Amino acid sequence: MSLEEYKGVYIYAQQVDNRLGRIAFELLGKARELAADLDTDVTAVLIGSGIRHLADELGEYGADRVIVVDHPSLKEYMTEPYTHALAEVIRTYKPEIMLVGATAIGRDLGPRVSARTATGLTADCTKLEIGDFPLNPVAGREQKHNQLLMTRPAFGGNTIATIACPNHRPQMATVRPGVMQAMERKAGKRAEVVEYDPGFEANHNYVEILDIVKKVSEAADIMDAKILVSGGRGVGCPENFQMLEELAAALGGQISCSRAVVDAGWMPKDLQVGQTGRTVRPNVYVAVGISGAIQHVAGMEESDIIIAINKDETAPIFEVADYGIVGDWKKIVPDLTKKILSVKKEG
Ligand SMILES: Cc1cc2nc3c(=O)[nH]c(=O)nc-3n(C[C@H](O)[C@H](O)[C@H](O)COP(=O)(O)OP(=O)(O)OC[C@H]3O[C@@H](n4cnc5c(N)ncnc54)[C@H](O)[C@@H]3O)c2cc1C
């Protein structure tokens, strides 16, 4: 493999039902930064059926070029034809970096494509940057420059590892939704569009979809919330979440929770914040009865303002909090709700 042949930062632009997911724009935002450091351009790979028109949107969010693979057999996501399509794009166009969202689809697609193109993949990255590898020079070992340094929690979140892929291309990473930030949309900015046909055979479609059952969630996505009131095990029981709901309603926000709450069956998994839940960035995050384990903090530390309520003044949540209230939430939360409602009434 001649590494020099591989150029450009590519992202997989995930679409479902011919609508681009927010993850595509988030990956484009990060790809633009990496491309600036490498002095190269950004390409989005769009795979599906009847999806050509989505290329314009990708241009407005930062793609210089969009490679479109449009074929009737790609109408619904299926492992084999999508893997074939993306792997062939990589073989033909030779990207230096390939980013995929760590969504349900991306977690299926990314590793298969990396295996098929004989390269490595770092899953669930929380930070991506260009730098030297090894990070510090080691006597007798070549230090390579302009490598993709992929950082992610390791060993159950107890440490942070920075991983590189110095001898194979592309350097592949998956990134969870909500971790990277999309650029502002530039209306009218167009990308060059390239249509590519990797050729499909019957064997690329050996699974037949008989029925698609879509889950309809009643709760709004916590990743879109501007204000979150999040409860932990310290809330005590599912009934007590009513008081958190009331505070969230007074603030015009939503509720979310820690994994301990989900594991106890008090709240659905959709509301879990953290390493194995959602990554959120609200304007205000109120952590109630949450200790602040590293795996929880990983999912909320980018919030603009963090307010922690905990009866234990040594709880690690206070290390990331902008405001901390030490005491029993059962007293503090209703008082806060009352105060906010009375201020709203006066104002
Ligand atoms: C691989 C892996 C992935 C994980 N992923 C996640 C994840 O995505 N999200 C996540 O949240 N966790 C995750 N965890 C679990 C994480 O390590 C913690 O166990 C979990 O976050 C603890 O939840 P908690 O803070 O609600 O509960 P606890 O740690 O039990 O904390 C409860 C807190 O409530 C306080 N409290 C109790 N009563 C009151 C009261 N009356 N008033 C005020 N404060 C009170 C206590 O002082 C305590 O600090 C993961 C763990 C592993 C190993």
Side-chain angles (χ1 to χ4, degrees):
M1 176 178 281
S2 163
L3 303 191
E4 290 71 34
E5 284 177 40
Y6 289 76
K7 299 253 182 290
V9 182
Y10 284 43
I11 66 123
Y12 170 63
Q14 181 179 315
Q15 61 78 29
V16 175
D17 292 340
N18 291 13
R19 274 212 302 272
L20 287 164
R22 186 169 53 180
I23 183 69
F25 309 131
E26 292 173 4
L27 292 181
L28 280 174
K30 178 42 83 175
R32 280 254 66 97
E33 284 174 30
L34 300 173
D37 288 347
L38 292 168
D39 196 17
T40 186
D41 50 18
V42 172
T43 300
V45 184
L46 182 58
I47 301 175
S49 173
I51 35 86
R52 161 79 180 69
H53 61 287
L54 298 176
D56 290 348
E57 217 176 326
L58 293 167
E60 292 181 340
Y61 277 100
D64 298 309
R65 181 172 66 155
V66 180
I67 297 175
V68 180
V69 184
D70 197 321
H71 191 273
S73 67
L74 300 167
K75 188 165 174 357
E76 311 291 350
Y77 175 77
M78 276 195 290
T79 304
E80 186 50 39
Y82 271 69
T83 302
H84 171 67
L86 188 55
E88 286 307 309
V89 167
I90 289 174
R91 286 198 186 105
T92 305
Y93 292 93
K94 299 190 174 7
E96 185 172 6
I97 292 174
M98 177 82 236
L99 307 181
V100 177
T103 58
I105 286 177
R107 284 167 199 260
D108 184 61
L109 180 66
R112 284 167 203 273
V113 170
S114 76
R116 210 161 286 186
T117 54
T119 189
L121 177 141
T122 306
D124 269 357
C125 296
T126 51
K127 191 169 151 195
L128 296 172
E129 59 190 338
I130 303 299
D132 298 335
F133 188 82
L135 302 182
N136 299 310
V138 177
R141 188 170 164 199
E142 182 194 0
Q143 191 186 31
K144 295 196 173 187
H145 308 299
N146 286 335
Q147 302 297 304
L148 180 66
L149 303 181
M150 302 169 273
T151 301
R152 56 153 295 157
F155 297 111
N158 291 315
T159 188
I160 301 288
T162 297
I163 297 164
C165 179
N167 301 322
H168 293 84
R169 292 292 182 267
Q171 301 161 94
M172 283 188 72
T174 63
V175 181
R176 296 180 50 193
V179 173
M180 303 301 174
Q181 273 185 302
M183 287 185 356
E184 221 157 273
R185 186 173 189 164
K186 287 195 185 134
K189 183 188 165 294
R190 290 285 171 262
E192 177 199 352
V193 178
V194 179
E195 312 246 355
Y196 175 70
D197 178 4
F200 289 95
E201 296 163 13
N203 196 31
H204 294 137
N205 248 340
Y206 52 68
V207 172
E208 189 188 348
I209 297 179
L210 299 179
D211 194 10
I212 296 175
V213 181
K214 293 202 170 154
K215 186 181 159 206
V216 182
S217 172
E218 281 161 26
D221 191 341
I222 58 171
M223 288 171 67
D224 296 327
K226 299 272 174 251
I227 297 176
L228 282 173
V229 176
S230 205
R233 191 173 1 230
V235 171
C237 64
E239 292 73 30
N240 284 346
F241 269 83
Q242 180 59 32
M243 282 188 264
L244 273 59
E245 297 258 17
E246 285 163 14
L247 176 58
L251 289 167
Q254 280 172 243
I255 59 159
S256 57
C257 63
S258 71
R259 175 161 154 178
V261 165
V262 174
D263 289 348
W266 301 350
M267 286 287 149
K269 173 90 179 153
D270 289 358
L271 299 188
Q272 182 189 319
V273 171
Q275 190 187 319
T276 43
R278 300 268 209 275
T279 303
V280 296
R281 280 173 190 264
N283 300 133
V284 181
Y285 187 88
V286 187
V288 182
I290 293 179
S291 58
I294 187 169
Q295 299 89 352
H296 184 83
V297 170
M300 45 65 82
E301 63 191 333
E302 298 294 333
S303 306
D304 292 342
I305 296 175
I306 299 171
I307 302 168
I309 303 171
N310 199 303
K311 67 178 183 185
D312 173 6
E313 64 180 27
T314 67
I317 193 72
F318 289 124
E319 287 166 28
V320 290
D322 298 287
Y323 300 95
I325 308 173
V326 180
D328 186 348
W329 73 266
K330 284 194 197 111
K331 170 146 181 35
I332 296 161
V333 167
D335 281 357
L336 259 180
T337 309
K338 223 190 289 167
K339 185 79 190 159
I340 289 161
L341 289 176
S342 79
V343 169
K344 274 171 111 178
K345 212 168 164 190
E346 284 164 21

